[in-house]
Amino acid sequence: MKRFSGILALFLAALVSCEKDDDVTGPENPDNGGEQPVTEVFLSTDKARYSPGEEVEISIDEVPSNAVVRYKHLNEVVDEENLSSQTWSWTPPSDDFRGYMLEVFSKDEDGEEVILGTVAVDVSSDWSRFPRYGFLSKFGDISDDKKEEVISNLNRYHINGLQFYDWHYKPHAPLPMENSSPQDVWKDIIDREIYFSTVEDYIDLAHQNNMKAMYYNLAYGTLDDYEDYGIGEDWFLYNDPNQDWKDRHELPQPPFISDIYLTDPSNPDWLQYLKDQNDLVYENLAFDGFHIDQLGDRGDVYDYSGNRVDLPNAFGDFIDEMKQDDAEKSMVMNAVDQYAQENIAEEEVDFLYTEVWSANSYGDLAEVITDNYEYSNNEKQTVLAAYMNYDLADNTGQFNTPGVLLTDAVIFAFGGAHLELGEHMLGKEYFPNSNLSMSRDLQNRLTKYYDFMTAYENLLREGGDFNYPDVSTGDGKVNFGSWPPQASNVAVAGKRVNNKQVIHLLNFSQATTMNWRDNEGNQASPTPVNNLLVNLQESGDISKVWFASPDFEGGASRELEFNPSNGQVLVRLPYLEYWSMIVVEYN
C-alpha cells in the first residue's frame, strides 16, 4: 500500500488484476531480432550468493563446440577451462565480498573471440554488503512447482534478499494462533487467503538459494479490533493534543477490512507488545529479520498525554529496541520519501531503503543514493523502491523496456539497487498488483543488468569517491554532457575507486522524458552507437583501459587500446546503447 500522504484513490485500480496468474519474471534464451549484440547460450548458477570457499554449481542450456569458460574479477582472468558439460562446478578464490563474471566464448574462423554467454557470481559472507532486494506478495494455495519457479527465476537475477509483503494476518497480530499453533489459513487486510505452508515453503526455498527472508510489518499500526487484543487507548498517536482524533491511515472499504490506526512507536507498552508478537513469528517461521514499514510524514502528532511525538527520533529508538530484542536478526526500515532517513542511518539497519516519491528526475534519483551514503558515512548501501510506469499500471499491459532500463542504469551506476522483482515486476506500491507484465525482451535484458551489477559490484558499490569526468566526443556521433542528465545528451558520471577511474556513459540522446518513472510508458529507446571515439581528460601513469556494458556481449569486459597525449586519452568504445562503463587503471 502507498506509504505517503494523498494515498488512497489508486487502490481500486490497483486491484484490477492483482490476483491474476503472473508472468513469472524468468529469463529465457535471448531473442531480440538482432537489434543489439547479445549472447547465444543461457547460463545460471545454483545460488544467489556464495560464502567464501563455497562451490558454485553452474548450468548452461547447451554446450557450444570448442567453447571455453573464463572466470574474471574486474577484467582480470582468475581461471579458465574448456567447456564440455552442461553442468559443472567452480570454486572461486577465498576472498570475501567479490563479484565475478563468467564468460563462455569460442573463436571464429579468423581467430577472434566470440562471447556466447555470461553469468555473474557474488562471493559475500554478508548479504547487506551488496543487497539485491526482491519481494514476494502472494501466499495463497500455490503449487510447489510454481513456488520453486518463482524462487528459481529470482535466483537468476541474483536476488539475495526477499521482502515478504503483506504475508501477515494483521499489523498488530501478524501470526494468528490456534491452540498454541499457527493457523493453517488466514485472511489479510484485503481479505486474501494466506497459507502458512506457502509462507513457510517460500522461506525454505529462499534459504536453499542463499537468500534472506524478511518479515514485513508496520512499526506502528493496528486495525479497528485492537481492543480485542488488549491494546490501550493510551498507546496511540493523535492528531491533536486533546486526543480527539486518533491518527489513522484511511483505506477504501471494501476491499480493505479496516483503516489502520497508528500507535506511538515510542510507547513502551506498544514496544513490548510488538516485541512479543515478533518473538511469536520467529518461533514459528524462520524469518531472517524485520522489514519495518512506516507511513511517511504525518505532520504534528501527539501522544496520549498531549505531548508532540518526534517520529524520526522515535523510529530510531524503535529500531534500537527491536535490535536489542532480536540481536541476530536483520533490520531494514523504509524511509518514505526519505522521511527519517538520517535517524534510520544511525541505527543497526542492514542497509538504507527509500520508497521514492517526490524525487522525480533521474538526477533526483541519483541524489537520494548519494545522500544515503552521506547519512551513513559511506557505510550502508541503498535499495530504492521506485515504481515504474506508474500511471500505465492502472490498467493491464506491459512495462516499457526503455524506461525500466534507463532507470536501472542510473540506479546501478550510482551504486544503488532497485526493489522491482518478485513474482512480477512492480508498477505500484501495493505489491500484489500485477497489471503490467514484462516482455520477454525486457526479462532477458534485465538479466544482464543484474549480472552486470553483481559482477562489477566492487566498482559500483564498494567505496570510492563520486566525480564527474571530463569526456568529449572524438567523432561527433553523440553529445556528451555533465551530470545531471539532459535530454539529447549522453550524461557522464564517475567514481574514483583506489587505482581505478570509473566512467559511466548514460545515454539520454533520444529521451522523451526526464522523469524516471516513465509514467505513461513513453520513454524512447536510444539509438545504438558502434565504435564511438571518446576523448578522456585523464593524466597519470595509465596501465590499461577497459570497457563493459550490460547492453553488449552480456556484460563481458573488453580491454581497449588507448592513446595518451598531453593529459588526454583517446579510446574507441565498441558500443553505447543505454549504459556503457569505461575503467581507466593506473600503475
Side-chain angles (χ1 to χ4, degrees):
M1 65 193 68
K2 191 168 186 177
R3 294 79 162 182
F4 198 56
S5 57
I7 314 180
L8 306 174
L10 67 98
F11 279 110
L12 296 178
L15 295 170
V16 167
S17 67
C18 71
E19 290 300 323
K20 69 182 178 67
D21 289 338
D22 293 317
D23 293 326
V24 180
T25 56
E28 289 186 352
N29 294 327
D31 178 11
N32 70 322
E35 294 178 0
Q36 79 265 3
V38 294
T39 50
E40 299 178 6
V41 295
F42 180 75
L43 291 101
S44 59
T45 59
D46 63 323
K47 294 182 181 179
R49 174 178 59 91
Y50 297 87
S51 299
E54 187 174 5
E55 196 172 65
V56 181
E57 297 293 331
I58 307 152
S59 301
I60 190 169
D61 61 344
E62 60 179 287
V63 181
S65 60
N66 301 317
V68 176
V69 59
R70 179 167 54 206
Y71 309 88
K72 282 183 177 178
H73 170 67
L74 304 185
N75 194 53
E76 295 292 333
V77 178
V78 298
D79 205 354
E80 186 172 294
E81 59 184 314
N82 293 325
L83 185 61
S84 58
S85 173
Q86 283 188 272
T87 59
W88 72 100
S89 61
W90 172 63
T91 302
S94 59
D95 307 82
D96 203 357
F97 305 116
R98 285 284 184 95
Y100 298 91
M101 184 69 88
L102 280 57
E103 303 171 356
V104 173
F105 68 95
S106 63
K107 293 189 177 180
D108 62 18
E109 295 176 353
D110 299 322
E112 297 293 325
E113 285 188 4
V114 178
I115 300 294
L116 303 175
T118 57
V119 67
V121 169
D122 173 26
V123 178
S124 293
S125 58
D126 182 352
W127 78 301
S128 67
R129 184 70 167 265
F130 303 115
R132 298 175 297 276
Y133 208 22
F135 71 92
L136 294 170
S137 63
K138 299 180 181 180
F139 307 99
D141 187 11
I142 302 172
S143 70
D144 290 344
D145 287 347
K146 181 68 171 180
K147 285 178 282 198
E148 290 173 4
E149 182 185 7
V150 168
I151 297 299
S152 175
N153 290 324
L154 291 170
N155 181 76
R156 183 55 189 87
Y157 292 102
H158 313 290
I159 298 299
N160 60 8
L162 292 170
Q163 177 189 152
F164 281 56
Y165 176 94
D166 271 11
W167 70 278
H168 51 32
Y169 175 48
K170 299 175 181 181
H172 60 284
L175 183 61
M177 305 293 289
E178 188 173 2
N179 298 324
S180 302
S181 297
Q183 291 183 14
D184 292 334
V185 183
W186 59 85
K187 297 287 189 74
D188 75 353
I189 192 172
I190 205 167
D191 219 25
R192 298 184 309 160
E193 283 193 341
I194 306 295
Y195 279 66
F196 178 85
S197 61
T198 298
V199 177
E200 189 174 45
D201 288 348
Y202 266 139
I203 294 171
D204 290 344
L205 287 168
H207 290 163
Q208 290 170 28
N209 287 265
N210 218 359
M211 303 172 182
K212 295 292 186 180
M214 298 293 286
Y215 142 49
Y216 166 94
N217 199 8
L218 276 168
Y220 55 174
T222 78
L223 303 189
D224 54 15
D225 62 348
Y226 59 86
E227 290 181 346
D228 296 342
Y229 293 82
I231 294 171
E233 297 290 328
D234 56 336
W235 296 15
F236 287 90
L237 291 173
Y238 291 85
N239 293 126
D240 65 291
N242 299 317
Q243 307 93 44
D244 291 328
W245 298 99
K246 289 187 183 71
D247 190 22
R248 66 176 176 169
H249 180 69
E250 295 182 353
L251 295 169
Q253 300 163 43
F256 290 88
I257 63 173
S258 169
D259 293 337
I260 297 175
Y261 296 83
L262 301 189
T263 53
D264 178 359
S266 61
N267 180 285
D269 293 326
W270 169 253
L271 285 168
Q272 186 57 55
Y273 175 88
L274 196 60
K275 286 178 186 178
D276 293 342
Q277 293 297 316
N278 285 358
D279 290 343
L280 188 64
V281 170
Y282 293 140
E283 287 167 10
N284 290 279
L285 289 165
F287 279 117
D288 299 293
F290 186 8
H291 179 102
I292 308 162
D293 202 7
Q294 50 144 305
L295 299 174
D297 190 349
R298 306 299 297 175
D300 289 338
V301 288
Y302 303 86
D303 65 17
Y304 193 72
S305 299
N307 302 308
R308 183 179 175 277
V309 177
D310 184 340
L311 279 181
N313 279 331
F315 287 152
D317 293 342
F318 178 92
I319 295 167
D320 184 57
E321 289 279 348
M322 295 299 121
K323 190 68 176 179
Q324 286 184 32
D325 194 55
D326 294 292
E328 79 285 1
K329 299 295 185 181
S330 293
M331 296 284 164
V332 174
M333 186 170 192
N334 182 12
V336 178
D337 215 32
Q338 291 291 71
Y339 184 73
Q341 189 70 282
E342 291 184 66
N343 302 77
I344 295 168
E346 295 177 355
E347 301 299 329
E348 281 192 78
V349 290
D350 282 36
F351 52 83
L352 302 185
Y353 179 102
T354 301
E355 190 176 46
V356 184
W357 293 107
S358 64
N360 294 317
S361 71
Y362 292 101
D364 293 338
L365 204 59
E367 189 174 352
V368 171
I369 299 170
T370 55
D371 282 349
N372 284 351
Y373 279 126
E374 182 179 344
Y375 297 154
S376 65
N377 295 315
N378 294 316
E379 292 179 357
K380 293 184 172 73
Q381 301 286 355
T382 289
V383 172
L384 301 182
Y387 311 118
M388 294 302 308
N389 299 163
Y390 189 81
D391 294 342
L392 193 67
D394 287 339
N395 300 291
T396 58
Q398 282 194 332
F399 285 98
N400 181 38
T401 294
V404 173
L405 295 185
L406 268 176
T407 295
D408 278 346
V410 170
I411 294 172
F412 295 175
F414 277 84
H418 191 182
L419 181 88
E420 58 183 338
L421 296 175
E423 305 98 334
H424 49 270
M425 177 176 272
L426 285 182
K428 291 288 188 182
E429 63 274 33
Y430 182 64
F431 286 16
N433 179 302
S434 55
N435 283 348
L436 299 183
S437 62
M438 299 171 68
S439 69
R440 188 58 62 189
D441 177 57
L442 175 56
Q443 292 174 33
N444 291 328
R445 299 196 63 160
L446 204 58
T447 305
K448 294 296 124 190
Y449 272 66
Y450 277 79
D451 276 338
F452 195 86
M453 173 174 64
T454 303
Y456 301 111
E457 60 195 11
N458 300 103
L459 291 180
L460 300 174
R461 312 183 72 186
E462 188 174 51
D465 297 309
F466 288 103
N467 57 26
Y468 302 96
D470 189 353
V471 175
S472 59
T473 179
D475 51 21
K477 290 182 178 179
V478 299
N479 297 315
F480 288 110
S482 60
W483 191 266
Q486 296 180 343
S488 77
N489 283 353
V490 173
V492 181
K495 189 198 289 188
R496 186 64 182 259
V497 183
N498 300 321
N499 70 325
K500 298 176 179 67
Q501 173 63 50
V502 183
I503 301 168
H504 299 293
L505 305 180
L506 297 150
N507 192 0
F508 295 88
S509 296
Q510 280 75 43
T512 54
T513 176
M514 300 307 289
N515 185 317
W516 60 264
R517 280 187 189 86
D518 185 23
N519 279 317
E520 300 291 343
N522 296 322
Q523 185 64 280
S525 303
T527 301
V529 181
N530 293 288
N531 297 318
L532 175 64
L533 203 59
V534 179
N535 191 15
L536 313 175
Q537 302 296 313
E538 292 289 337
S539 58
D541 187 8
I542 298 173
S543 61
K544 68 174 66 172
V545 180
W546 55 276
F547 145 89
S549 168
D551 307 312
F552 183 80
E553 296 184 340
S557 64
R558 179 184 291 194
E559 200 155 327
L560 304 179
E561 294 183 1
F562 62 96
N563 182 21
S565 177
N566 298 321
Q568 297 184 340
V569 179
L570 198 64
V571 298
R572 190 168 291 279
L573 195 69
Y575 191 78
L576 173 62
E577 191 178 2
Y578 291 92
W579 173 26
S580 289
M581 180 177 73
I582 300 171
V583 181
V584 180
E585 295 192 17
Y586 298 89
N587 289 313

